[in-house]
Amino acid sequence: MAHPTQPLSRALVLGGGGVTGIAWEVGVLAGLSSRGIDWSRAASVIGTSAGSFVGTAVASGYDLERLFASQLVPDENEVDAKASEATMNAWWAALAEGGDDPRKVGAAMGRISKANPEPVPAATRRQVVASRLVTTDWPASLRVTAIDADTGELHLFDEHAGVSLTDAVSASGAVPGVWPLEHFLGRSWVDGGMVSTTNARLAAGHDRIVILAPMPDGYGQIPGAAADAEALAEQAEVCLIAPDEQSVEAIGPNPYDPQRRKAAAQAGRAQGEALANKVALLW
């Protein structure tokens, strides 16, 4: 007698990468979708920082063509932002202090945010967040990462966490020294991407995993997206997508530059369309 097989479980992992990372991810996903890839098949959509915004759209079933079109025109709600030399030096010091311990790195990043809790006005940040979110309702498949600024522990929020989607996404993208520290559940929170740009290992347990990593490299002694993908591949089929040469050029040196959105989205779309056959075989 034949035994029934369990349905395959799919996960889409969307990493951090600033406003250009959002645009690039939207372009890649739209390009793949236009070639028949159905993202609604994902049992889990795991978003970190930029990926939490894109993940909200994907998990809610938002029209990716419409989202792609929005990346091609200026958004008056976006603001020019940049990590100062002092901020970047503080990040490197935090990475050196924490070594290969993500919690120690996270706690050190939390101290950076607490020393400069509002590099731009909180109201300005909330306006940016609101303009990027296509809904404020938690999609059932969405998971969003953020780091406890005191303990350095990485948390994964979903619709049952007792946190609004706006709060969770704001925290997931609260880059120390660039965006304001977030506060809810009696705790302070910083960007989930400060210990891993994708947190892809959180997708363990799924059978097929697609990872989009606008910033694929590791931080200090913290492994990058390729190492995470290799670890996941021991138990699952995995496809890691990082910016190709054209996308790297389009994204440019500052991931927080909104003027690069159009170019990043277009390069991402071209890359997604080119990868469609490969992704289709896995997905």
Side-chain angles (χ1 to χ4, degrees):
M1 180 181 295
H3 295 283
T5 58
Q6 293 292 327
L8 292 171
S9 176
R10 295 168 175 80
L12 175 63
V13 178
L14 301 168
V19 68
T20 57
I22 291 174
W24 177 78
E25 289 182 348
V26 169
V28 172
L29 293 171
L32 288 166
S33 179
S34 74
R35 296 294 189 265
I37 307 299
D38 181 6
W39 299 115
S40 70
R41 303 180 78 186
S44 296
V45 178
I46 301 172
T48 289
S49 198
S52 66
F53 292 98
V54 182
T56 296
V58 174
S60 67
Y62 192 79
D63 183 352
L64 286 175
E65 290 299 333
R66 182 178 178 186
L67 191 62
F68 175 76
S70 73
Q71 304 302 306
L72 307 183
V73 295
D75 184 347
E76 63 182 13
N77 294 299
E78 292 288 350
V79 297
D80 289 319
K82 187 176 182 179
S84 68
E85 183 177 353
T87 293
M88 288 190 286
N89 287 338
W91 293 347
W92 286 113
L95 290 167
E97 176 186 336
D100 61 357
D101 187 332
R103 286 196 180 193
K104 289 182 179 179
V105 172
M109 292 294 180
R111 289 194 293 275
I112 295 171
S113 275
K114 287 183 283 187
N116 184 15
E118 201 168 312
V120 301
T124 299
R125 171 59 174 169
R126 282 297 169 132
Q127 187 174 350
V128 171
V129 170
S131 73
R132 293 177 181 176
L133 283 175
V134 300
T135 181
T136 56
D137 295 327
W138 267 104
S141 62
L142 181 65
R143 315 286 184 263
V144 172
T145 67
I147 297 168
D148 186 311
D150 294 309
T151 68
E153 183 179 2
L154 182 70
H155 286 250
L156 194 61
F157 297 100
D158 61 16
E159 62 178 336
H160 304 296
V163 177
S164 75
L165 179 63
T166 299
D167 281 347
V169 171
S170 295
S172 189
V175 183
V178 176
W179 297 115
L181 189 66
E182 291 293 332
H183 308 276
F184 51 81
L185 298 180
R187 311 295 297 176
S188 298
W189 305 92
V190 297
D191 192 313
M194 301 313 292
V195 296
S196 167
T197 59
T198 64
N199 294 299
R201 295 186 188 224
L202 294 173
H206 293 283
D207 302 303
R208 297 185 175 180
I209 304 166
V210 173
I211 306 167
L212 268 62
M215 301 173 70
D217 295 338
Y219 290 161
Q221 297 181 50
I222 303 298
D228 284 352
E230 184 177 354
L232 288 167
E234 295 179 5
Q235 302 291 333
E237 293 185 62
V238 182
C239 178
L240 170 62
I241 303 174
D244 59 13
E245 184 176 350
Q246 291 73 29
S247 290
V248 168
E249 182 177 354
I251 289 169
N254 177 17
Y256 312 111
D257 182 0
Q259 304 303 317
R260 293 274 189 165
R261 292 167 66 242
K262 179 177 180 179
Q266 291 173 325
R269 183 170 192 126
Q271 188 175 353
E273 291 174 351
L275 290 170
N277 289 340
K278 175 183 178 180
V279 176
L281 288 173
L282 179 145
W283 196 252

